[in-house]
Amino acid sequence: MSGADDLAAAERERVLAKSALFNPPPATLPDGRRDLVGLSREELAAEMAAMGEKPFRAKQLWHWIYHQGETDFAKMSSIAGPLRARLAERFAVERPAVATEQTSADETRKWLFRFRDGQQVETVYIPDPEEDRGAVCISTQVGCTLSCRFCHTGTQKLVRNLGAAEIVGQFMAARDSYGEWPSPKDDKPRLLSTIVVMGMGEPLYNYENTAKALRIVMDHEGIGLSRRRITLSTSGVVPMMDRCGEELGVNLAVSLHAVTDELRDEIVPLNRKYPIAELLAACRRYPGASNARRITFEYVMLRGVNDSEAEARELVRLIRGIPAKVNLIPFNPWPGAPYETSTPERVQRFSDIVFEAGISAPIRRPRGRDIMAACGQLKSASEKKSRAELDRLAAEKQAALEGQDA
Ligand code: SAH
Ligand code: SF4
C-alpha cells in the first residue's frame, strides 16, 4: 500500500469509529423478541441454526419478509405450524410506527415514522406526475452531524444513526401504505420504483447501516430493487465514496452547491475537511460512473449567493470530463433560514448555460410544498429555532468536525 492509501484507510477507519458512537439501540422488542427485519441473510441463517433449523428456513423467511411483505408468522403458510409458533415466540417482523401520514395536493406522501426508542424521521414518496412510478426518499440519521447553512436538518443535532432495520423499514412501511406487496419482479413496473437516500442525515456518516439496508433492498429474492434504481446523496464524505461505489455500486449524487472553496466552506462546512478538488477527484474515480450512469451534482439555488452566470460557467469547467448531470434545486425556505430562493429567471439562465455545455441540468420542481415534504426540510414543523440558536449550533458542530481528527 502506498502512503496515500494508508492515509485514506486511516481516515476511513476514523469516520467509521466516529459513526459507531451514534449506534442505534439493539433490535430487540421490550418483550425480548428479536426483530428479523434488518438482519443480513447470514445473520438470519445463524438465527435459524441457533434454533436447530436447516439453512433453507432462512431462505423461506427471507421470501416471506421481503418478497411477500408478511409480518405475521401465522400466515407464513409454507412453514409448518409448530415452527411458526416457535418463531413467533422468539422473533417479530417489525415496521416503524406511523406517527403521521400526509398526502399533498400533488400526491406527494410524507410519513413521520417513530422507532422503538421514540426517535422519529421522515420519509417521502414523490410520484412521477406522468407515469405510475415514483421515488421514495429515505432518511439515514436522526438529525445530522453536519450543518449546511441552507438545510433544515442541519439545524438539528445528530441524535443517532438509524439501524439497517430502520432504514429498510421506511421503504417497507411506504410499500405497506400503497399495498405494493408481493415485490414486483425487477423488470415489471412498480409504483415505488426508485429509492433516493436524500432524507435526513448524511448516509456516508452511517455507512455500515446504510450499506446493510441497501443490500437487503437489492437482494433478488426479496425486494429486488436494482442498484440502478437507487441513488445515494452525500455532502462529500470523500473517504467513504470509494467504498460506496465498490461495495454497493449505487448511483451517486453529490451535494456541490458552490464552485469555490471559499463559498463552499461557508455553506457546506464539510468542505473545510474535503475541499472541492478532492471531492471531484473522488467523483472521477467513482466506480461504474459512465455516460449511462452519471453522477448527479446537486446545486441548491440561493438568491445572490451562488446563482450567477459566471458560477454556471465555472461549474461546467469544474465537472468537465466527469459523466455528470446537474440537478438544480430551487432553495426551499424554512422559518429562520438565512437565504432566499433564486428567481425563476436566474435558475433558468443557469440551467441554460450548463445545458449549452452539453450537460443535462434539469430544474427540480418543488413537490409537496403544502405538506413541507421537500428533501432538506424534513421534520421541520417539529422544531423551530431562533437565528442565534442556529448560529450557536452550527459553531458547535463545526468545532466537533474540526476536532474529529484530534
Ligand atoms: N446529507 C446528504 C443527503 C441529505 S440532503 C446530502 O447533503 O447530500 C439531500 C439534498 O437536499 C442535498 O442535496 C441537500 O443539499 C438538499 N437540501 C437541503 N436543504 C435544502 C433546502 N432547504 N432546499 C433545497 N435543497 C436542500
Ligand atoms: Fe446534513 Fe445533508 Fe443537511 Fe448538509 S444538506 S446538513 S449533510 S442533511
Side-chain angles (χ1 to χ4, degrees):
M1 243 204 250
S2 73
D5 284 347
D6 280 347
L7 265 180
E11 180 76 8
R12 224 169 10 247
E13 288 314 308
R14 261 200 301 273
V15 170
L16 290 169
K18 170 99 179 169
S19 166
L21 299 175
F22 294 95
N23 273 345
T28 315
L29 279 64
D31 61 12
R33 284 179 304 152
R34 178 157 191 193
D35 186 6
L36 291 182
V37 175
L39 296 188
S40 66
R41 270 178 178 266
E42 295 72 30
E43 288 167 337
L44 191 58
E47 290 290 347
M48 291 305 104
M51 283 178 76
E53 290 297 328
K54 298 243 158 55
F56 81 92
R57 294 292 179 200
K59 209 173 151 75
Q60 281 181 319
L61 274 171
W62 189 273
H63 181 86
W64 281 110
I65 299 170
Y66 297 112
H67 180 75
Q68 300 288 356
E70 187 52 67
T71 56
D72 183 355
F73 290 108
K75 295 192 183 141
M76 299 185 180
S77 52
S78 62
I79 300 174
L83 177 55
R84 295 203 301 252
R86 284 174 66 216
L87 287 170
E89 277 166 27
R90 289 175 174 75
F91 302 113
V93 179
E94 288 274 286
R95 295 284 192 269
V98 180
T100 60
E101 178 181 300
Q102 287 171 280
T103 305
S104 154
D106 69 11
E107 300 291 311
T108 298
R109 187 170 293 180
K110 179 173 86 168
W111 300 268
L112 181 62
F113 287 126
R114 190 182 309 118
F115 303 114
R116 275 191 292 280
D117 64 350
Q119 294 298 337
Q120 309 191 128
V121 297
E122 287 190 353
T123 305
V124 184
Y125 173 64
I126 308 150
D128 187 306
E130 271 118 45
E131 287 180 62
D132 282 345
R133 62 178 184 202
V136 182
C137 176
I138 60 175
S139 297
T140 54
Q141 298 182 309
V142 182
C144 188
T145 28
L146 303 173
S147 48
C148 304
R149 295 212 59 155
F150 49 83
C151 171
H152 191 268
T153 307
T155 69
Q156 300 162 32
K157 272 198 172 146
L158 175 66
V159 177
R160 66 171 178 83
N161 286 325
L162 296 188
E166 295 169 330
I167 298 171
V168 67
Q170 294 168 60
F171 184 67
M172 295 172 85
R175 292 261 303 260
D176 292 346
S177 172
Y178 286 91
E180 192 167 60
W181 296 105
S183 300
K185 288 271 163 250
D186 200 33
D187 53 348
K188 292 280 176 303
R190 300 177 178 229
L191 203 54
L192 281 66
S193 60
T194 54
I195 290 182
V196 292
V197 187
M198 293 188 184
M200 297 171 66
E202 169 48 60
L204 295 188
Y205 273 150
N206 183 18
Y207 179 76
E208 305 282 16
N209 291 309
T210 303
K212 196 173 175 194
L214 294 182
R215 284 198 188 98
I216 293 173
V217 165
M218 293 188 283
D219 188 292
H220 288 301
E221 290 177 27
I223 295 171
L225 207 62
S226 92
R227 61 194 169 83
R228 291 182 185 77
R229 294 164 175 265
I230 300 173
T231 301
L232 180 143
S233 173
T234 180
S235 56
V237 184
V238 167
M240 301 309 296
M241 286 165 61
D242 302 288
R243 265 193 78 181
C244 176
E246 280 156 22
E247 298 178 358
L248 303 174
V250 295
N251 301 318
L252 185 70
V254 171
S255 294
L256 191 62
H257 307 316
V259 294
T260 64
D261 281 324
E262 197 191 354
L263 179 62
R264 197 163 186 270
D265 279 352
E266 190 192 320
I267 65 178
V268 184
L270 185 64
N271 196 68
R272 298 178 204 174
K273 215 166 157 60
Y274 308 118
I276 293 177
E278 277 182 39
L279 176 58
L280 294 180
C283 292
R284 282 180 212 282
R285 58 175 189 262
Y286 190 73
S290 67
N291 274 337
R293 292 191 61 215
R294 292 163 200 272
I295 292 177
T296 304
F297 288 97
E298 292 158 284
Y299 199 95
V300 59
M301 301 292 294
L302 307 169
R303 184 182 300 188
V305 174
N306 66 353
D307 61 355
S308 69
E309 296 189 6
E311 281 159 312
R313 281 189 283 272
E314 179 59 9
L315 175 62
V316 167
R317 197 189 66 80
L318 279 177
I319 64 177
R320 182 154 289 146
I322 302 177
K325 61 182 173 219
V326 173
N327 229 334
L328 297 173
I329 320 168
F331 169 63
N332 242 304
W334 38 272
Y339 301 110
E340 286 174 282
T341 312
S342 300
T343 61
E345 297 73 34
R346 279 256 159 203
V347 181
Q348 190 58 56
R349 185 72 198 114
F350 201 99
S351 169
D352 289 347
I353 292 172
V354 177
F355 188 77
E356 280 154 22
I359 302 166
S360 143
I363 301 164
R364 211 199 269 170
R365 266 170 306 162
R367 302 288 304 277
R369 277 223 162 146
D370 53 337
I371 56 166
M372 307 253 284
C375 287
Q377 66 173 44
L378 299 182
K379 215 171 154 227
S380 38
S382 56
E383 278 190 55
K384 283 191 182 132
K385 289 198 169 67
S386 72
R387 184 63 203 280
E389 279 174 293
L390 293 183
D391 283 343
R392 187 161 37 76
L393 183 64
E396 249 177 66
K397 287 192 188 185
Q398 189 56 41
L401 186 67
E402 276 153 15
Q404 202 166 299
D405 295 325

